[in-house]
Amino acid sequence: MKFIIKNYGCQMNVNTAAKINQQLLAAGHVVAESDEQADAIIFNTCCVRNTAEQKILSHIALAKQLKQKNPQLKIAVIGCLSAKRKIHGVDILLGTEDAMNVVEKLGETLRPLPPEPTSTAYIDITYGCENYCSYCIVPFVRGKLRIRPIEEIRAEFNQVKDTAKDIYLLGQNVNAYPNFPQLLAKLAQQSGDFKLHFLSSHPKDFDIETIKVMAKYPKIAHDIHLPMQCGCDKILKLMNRKYTVADYKNIIRQLRELIPDIHITTDIICGFPGETDEDFEETVKTVEEIKFSAAYIFPYSNRTGTVADKMENQVPFRTRKARATKLVEIMRKMS
Ligand code: 5AD
Ligand code: SF4
């Protein structure tokens, strides 16, 4: 069978797609050179913002056109978008928890495989999220927080530590892992010529111990992705983020104190409901003050079922976009 995996969204999806790819290759299948040549097209999807959702839906529509010409073609849609909504006219539809079952549904048995020697390895440490940031659909499509058993994490780590150059520990909020600094310290003391990274951190659960561990062990990379989302207390509260701008700046200060060459990246949402020009200017000021190495900037996207979607004072789309464009420009100049 010739297959193509189309992956969208976060690092956790990158990891799932890589595992499916490996299972299918191990079963003797090959990667198709084009959609037209494929016997199976697997969409590993994302629905965190409407732009992602619409793009994926249009790609699925194209695959469905191919299926009309070639009825043998199997279309699988897995991951967050299929957990969110029904998608008609496809062969396999699986949510996030059973995404790996796509291998079996395509007629293969899932079996434990030694990981490919890759220079970058990803290891899930938690699944799901129950923080319910008011704009976010993730808790609805990825479910409640589940902690991966330590034996599984260790086993996967041991398999990659001698071949991988970079190892990423993954979770929607890695700081929700019980005693995360201890896990980090333990893994950072293992043999192997790797750098250890982790994604994403949540400022509300970020433990100063984590900074100490990062500073202490040379195998931990000096980079951190700490989504701020916005630099204005009024909006942070509406977002249900559970920290203030002062709390956030305090973490940044301590990071830079203990790790002077730290590389800090963030995510910012522009035009959240109720955000006035003044609120946005506060975010601009905060971003200018902190001087991030990089910022991923998104116009706010309404997600059905979330609290923010029903809030009053929705900001017009063009204002959301204009603010995002302005902030991107400020970041570009600063960097
Ligand atoms: N609108 C815009 N951006 C969003 N994100 C999550 N949900 C939304 C939304 N509804 C952004 C956040 C998060 C990143 C992965 O996506 O900044 O950190
Ligand atoms: Fe979404 Fe907030 Fe959970 Fe991140 S922490 S996945 S933004 S609900």
Side-chain angles (χ1 to χ4, degrees):
M1 178 182 82
K2 292 183 178 170
F3 68 93
I4 282 192
I5 305 176
K6 296 192 184 280
N7 192 59
Y8 306 84
C10 64
Q11 290 303 320
M12 299 196 85
N13 270 16
V14 173
N15 191 23
T16 307
K19 288 192 168 138
I20 293 167
N21 187 54
Q22 203 197 348
Q23 290 274 353
L24 291 175
L25 291 177
H29 305 300
V30 292
V31 175
E33 275 159 27
S34 66
D35 292 7
E36 286 74 19
Q37 288 181 13
D39 303 301
I41 304 180
I42 302 162
F43 293 90
N44 190 28
T45 61
C46 169
C47 61
V48 75
R49 287 173 295 275
N50 190 43
T51 41
E53 182 165 345
Q54 296 311 319
K55 182 168 84 184
I56 298 165
L57 288 174
S58 73
H59 293 178
I60 295 173
L62 290 175
K64 283 200 242 169
Q65 285 175 15
L66 284 179
K67 194 176 166 70
Q68 284 184 344
K69 286 187 229 147
N70 169 20
Q72 304 298 318
L73 173 67
K74 284 214 154 55
I75 303 176
V77 182
I78 62 174
C80 291
L81 187 57
S82 27
K84 174 177 181 266
R85 58 183 289 165
K86 185 110 188 74
I87 293 161
H88 297 284
V90 302
D91 302 277
I92 299 167
L93 204 57
L94 297 164
T96 54
E97 268 170 79
D98 46 3
M100 285 303 295
N101 291 355
V102 71
V103 176
E104 287 169 60
K105 300 258 176 184
L106 287 170
E108 298 302 333
T109 41
L110 259 184
R111 52 185 178 278
L113 288 174
E116 298 249 294
T118 50
S119 64
T120 309
Y122 299 99
I123 303 175
D124 294 334
I125 64 166
T126 64
Y127 300 102
C129 180
E130 48 194 65
N131 292 322
Y132 291 96
C133 300
S134 62
Y135 50 81
C136 187
I137 198 167
V138 168
F140 303 96
V141 291
R142 286 198 178 256
K144 287 230 176 295
L145 176 75
R146 278 102 61 213
I147 308 294
R148 193 168 181 207
I150 183 71
E151 311 79 56
E152 276 184 39
I153 297 173
R154 275 182 181 276
E156 210 170 303
F157 191 88
N158 287 337
Q159 285 183 319
V160 298
K161 70 182 174 61
D162 295 313
T163 50
K165 222 170 115 257
D166 293 282
I167 305 177
Y168 286 83
L169 306 180
L170 299 180
Q172 301 298 336
N173 165 10
V174 288
N175 313 104
Y177 189 93
N179 208 341
F180 179 68
Q182 190 189 322
L183 174 73
L184 203 55
K186 285 223 171 103
L187 298 180
Q189 292 174 73
Q190 304 301 305
S191 66
D193 190 18
F194 58 82
K195 278 276 182 195
L196 189 57
H197 312 250
F198 50 94
L199 285 174
S200 290
S201 290
H202 194 312
K204 93 177 158 68
D205 294 326
F206 194 85
D207 190 334
I208 302 308
E209 264 317 299
T210 302
I211 306 180
K212 293 189 183 149
V213 169
M214 286 176 83
K216 180 167 173 192
Y217 297 99
K219 284 185 186 173
I220 304 179
H222 287 181
D223 57 41
I224 185 151
H225 186 62
L226 191 66
M228 180 170 81
Q229 309 301 3
C230 129
C232 154
D233 284 338
K234 179 188 110 186
I235 300 298
L236 280 175
K237 196 161 174 55
L238 289 171
M239 285 178 164
N240 192 30
R241 290 290 288 177
K242 301 194 165 77
Y243 56 84
T244 62
V245 176
D247 296 334
Y248 189 89
K249 283 193 198 161
N250 198 30
I251 300 172
I252 301 290
R253 187 181 51 74
Q254 301 192 61
L255 274 164
R256 288 187 167 143
E257 223 166 82
L258 273 91
I259 313 168
D261 65 341
I262 188 86
H263 187 268
I264 306 169
T265 57
T266 200
D267 291 342
I268 308 278
I269 299 176
C270 298
F272 183 86
E275 185 186 79
T276 62
D277 285 337
E278 292 72 38
D279 298 335
F280 175 65
E281 286 311 317
E282 269 189 54
T283 294
V284 170
K285 206 180 98 225
T286 311
V287 166
E288 285 175 339
E289 242 177 83
I290 294 179
K291 298 189 176 62
F292 294 103
S293 300
Y296 301 91
I297 296 161
F298 311 107
Y300 167 69
S301 175
N302 291 72
R303 304 283 69 200
T304 308
T306 61
V307 168
D309 184 42
K310 294 185 224 77
M311 283 179 183
E312 286 171 20
N313 303 321
Q314 297 281 329
V315 173
F317 283 97
R318 59 177 186 285
T319 311
R320 303 178 195 181
K321 281 218 178 116
R323 287 178 186 165
T325 306
K326 180 173 172 186
L327 203 50
V328 167
E329 186 55 22
I330 288 168
M331 274 305 299
R332 199 187 58 76
K333 283 198 186 130
M334 276 176 29
S335 61

PDB file of all heavy atoms in Angstrom, residues 290-301:
ATOM      1  N   ILE A 290       9.563  42.519  27.634  1.00  0.00           N
ATOM      2  CA  ILE A 290      10.121  41.181  27.894  1.00  0.00           C
ATOM      3  C   ILE A 290      11.168  40.792  26.850  1.00  0.00           C
ATOM      4  O   ILE A 290      12.126  40.105  27.165  1.00  0.00           O
ATOM      5  CB  ILE A 290       8.984  40.125  27.997  1.00  0.00           C
ATOM      6  CG1 ILE A 290       8.130  40.428  29.233  1.00  0.00           C
ATOM      7  CG2 ILE A 290       9.559  38.710  28.060  1.00  0.00           C
ATOM      8  CD1 ILE A 290       6.965  39.484  29.453  1.00  0.00           C
ATOM      9  N   LYS A 291      10.980  41.246  25.599  1.00  0.00           N
ATOM     10  CA  LYS A 291      11.943  40.916  24.541  1.00  0.00           C
ATOM     11  C   LYS A 291      12.097  39.398  24.349  1.00  0.00           C
ATOM     12  O   LYS A 291      13.152  38.806  24.605  1.00  0.00           O
ATOM     13  CB  LYS A 291      13.315  41.551  24.810  1.00  0.00           C
ATOM     14  CG  LYS A 291      13.263  43.066  24.838  1.00  0.00           C
ATOM     15  CD  LYS A 291      14.658  43.675  24.890  1.00  0.00           C
ATOM     16  CE  LYS A 291      14.587  45.188  24.821  1.00  0.00           C
ATOM     17  NZ  LYS A 291      13.842  45.778  25.992  1.00  0.00           N
ATOM     18  N   PHE A 292      11.030  38.796  23.892  1.00  0.00           N
ATOM     19  CA  PHE A 292      11.034  37.360  23.597  1.00  0.00           C
ATOM     20  C   PHE A 292      11.975  37.064  22.433  1.00  0.00           C
ATOM     21  O   PHE A 292      12.173  37.911  21.562  1.00  0.00           O
ATOM     22  CB  PHE A 292       9.628  36.910  23.197  1.00  0.00           C
ATOM     23  CG  PHE A 292       8.629  36.999  24.301  1.00  0.00           C
ATOM     24  CD1 PHE A 292       7.708  38.047  24.348  1.00  0.00           C
ATOM     25  CD2 PHE A 292       8.603  36.044  25.310  1.00  0.00           C
ATOM     26  CE1 PHE A 292       6.771  38.137  25.368  1.00  0.00           C
ATOM     27  CE2 PHE A 292       7.665  36.133  26.343  1.00  0.00           C
ATOM     28  CZ  PHE A 292       6.754  37.173  26.374  1.00  0.00           C
ATOM     29  N   SER A 293      12.514  35.843  22.420  1.00  0.00           N
ATOM     30  CA  SER A 293      13.303  35.413  21.258  1.00  0.00           C
ATOM     31  C   SER A 293      12.396  35.233  20.051  1.00  0.00           C
ATOM     32  O   SER A 293      12.789  35.470  18.924  1.00  0.00           O
ATOM     33  CB  SER A 293      13.994  34.089  21.558  1.00  0.00           C
ATOM     34  OG  SER A 293      14.849  34.235  22.654  1.00  0.00           O
ATOM     35  N   ALA A 294      11.175  34.761  20.298  1.00  0.00           N
ATOM     36  CA  ALA A 294      10.196  34.618  19.223  1.00  0.00           C
ATOM     37  C   ALA A 294       8.810  34.577  19.852  1.00  0.00           C
ATOM     38  O   ALA A 294       8.657  34.161  21.000  1.00  0.00           O
ATOM     39  CB  ALA A 294      10.440  33.338  18.423  1.00  0.00           C
ATOM     40  N   ALA A 295       7.818  35.040  19.081  1.00  0.00           N
ATOM     41  CA  ALA A 295       6.435  34.977  19.554  1.00  0.00           C
ATOM     42  C   ALA A 295       5.555  34.470  18.424  1.00  0.00           C
ATOM     43  O   ALA A 295       5.695  34.899  17.283  1.00  0.00           O
ATOM     44  CB  ALA A 295       5.969  36.354  20.014  1.00  0.00           C
ATOM     45  N   TYR A 296       4.679  33.530  18.735  1.00  0.00           N
ATOM     46  CA  TYR A 296       3.686  33.044  17.777  1.00  0.00           C
ATOM     47  C   TYR A 296       2.419  33.842  18.064  1.00  0.00           C
ATOM     48  O   TYR A 296       1.874  33.755  19.167  1.00  0.00           O
ATOM     49  CB  TYR A 296       3.473  31.538  17.944  1.00  0.00           C
ATOM     50  CG  TYR A 296       4.756  30.787  17.732  1.00  0.00           C
ATOM     51  CD1 TYR A 296       5.609  30.511  18.791  1.00  0.00           C
ATOM     52  CD2 TYR A 296       5.152  30.414  16.448  1.00  0.00           C
ATOM     53  CE1 TYR A 296       6.823  29.866  18.594  1.00  0.00           C
ATOM     54  CE2 TYR A 296       6.358  29.769  16.235  1.00  0.00           C
ATOM     55  CZ  TYR A 296       7.185  29.501  17.317  1.00  0.00           C
ATOM     56  OH  TYR A 296       8.383  28.863  17.114  1.00  0.00           O
ATOM     57  N   ILE A 297       1.999  34.633  17.091  1.00  0.00           N
ATOM     58  CA  ILE A 297       0.919  35.593  17.319  1.00  0.00           C
ATOM     59  C   ILE A 297      -0.304  35.196  16.505  1.00  0.00           C
ATOM     60  O   ILE A 297      -0.206  34.978  15.291  1.00  0.00           O
ATOM     61  CB  ILE A 297       1.421  37.001  16.946  1.00  0.00           C
ATOM     62  CG1 ILE A 297       2.568  37.365  17.899  1.00  0.00           C
ATOM     63  CG2 ILE A 297       0.297  38.025  17.003  1.00  0.00           C
ATOM     64  CD1 ILE A 297       3.450  38.483  17.419  1.00  0.00           C
ATOM     65  N   PHE A 298      -1.450  35.074  17.193  1.00  0.00           N
ATOM     66  CA  PHE A 298      -2.671  34.613  16.525  1.00  0.00           C
ATOM     67  C   PHE A 298      -3.810  35.594  16.731  1.00  0.00           C
ATOM     68  O   PHE A 298      -4.021  36.042  17.858  1.00  0.00           O
ATOM     69  CB  PHE A 298      -3.120  33.261  17.102  1.00  0.00           C
ATOM     70  CG  PHE A 298      -2.030  32.240  17.192  1.00  0.00           C
ATOM     71  CD1 PHE A 298      -1.490  31.894  18.423  1.00  0.00           C
ATOM     72  CD2 PHE A 298      -1.539  31.623  16.050  1.00  0.00           C
ATOM     73  CE1 PHE A 298      -0.476  30.945  18.514  1.00  0.00           C
ATOM     74  CE2 PHE A 298      -0.539  30.680  16.130  1.00  0.00           C
ATOM     75  CZ  PHE A 298       0.003  30.337  17.370  1.00  0.00           C
ATOM     76  N   PRO A 299      -4.583  35.889  15.662  1.00  0.00           N
ATOM     77  CA  PRO A 299      -5.838  36.595  15.913  1.00  0.00           C
ATOM     78  C   PRO A 299      -6.770  35.637  16.640  1.00  0.00           C
ATOM     79  O   PRO A 299      -6.777  34.439  16.340  1.00  0.00           O
ATOM     80  CB  PRO A 299      -6.365  36.916  14.508  1.00  0.00           C
ATOM     81  CG  PRO A 299      -5.472  36.244  13.531  1.00  0.00           C
ATOM     82  CD  PRO A 299      -4.382  35.521  14.248  1.00  0.00           C
ATOM     83  N   TYR A 300      -7.535  36.133  17.592  1.00  0.00           N
ATOM     84  CA  TYR A 300      -8.465  35.284  18.334  1.00  0.00           C
ATOM     85  C   TYR A 300      -9.435  34.600  17.372  1.00  0.00           C
ATOM     86  O   TYR A 300      -9.970  35.233  16.462  1.00  0.00           O
ATOM     87  CB  TYR A 300      -9.233  36.118  19.374  1.00  0.00           C
ATOM     88  CG  TYR A 300     -10.409  35.384  19.946  1.00  0.00           C
ATOM     89  CD1 TYR A 300     -10.218  34.286  20.791  1.00  0.00           C
ATOM     90  CD2 TYR A 300     -11.719  35.732  19.613  1.00  0.00           C
ATOM     91  CE1 TYR A 300     -11.301  33.578  21.288  1.00  0.00           C
ATOM     92  CE2 TYR A 300     -12.804  35.030  20.101  1.00  0.00           C
ATOM     93  CZ  TYR A 300     -12.577  33.948  20.938  1.00  0.00           C
ATOM     94  OH  TYR A 300     -13.655  33.237  21.410  1.00  0.00           O
ATOM     95  N   SER A 301      -9.665  33.303  17.595  1.00  0.00           N
ATOM     96  CA  SER A 301     -10.555  32.517  16.748  1.00  0.00           C
ATOM     97  C   SER A 301     -11.679  31.938  17.615  1.00  0.00           C
ATOM     98  O   SER A 301     -11.411  31.293  18.633  1.00  0.00           O
ATOM     99  CB  SER A 301      -9.719  31.401  16.099  1.00  0.00           C
ATOM    100  OG  SER A 301     -10.525  30.530  15.350  1.00  0.00           O
TER     101      SER A 301
END
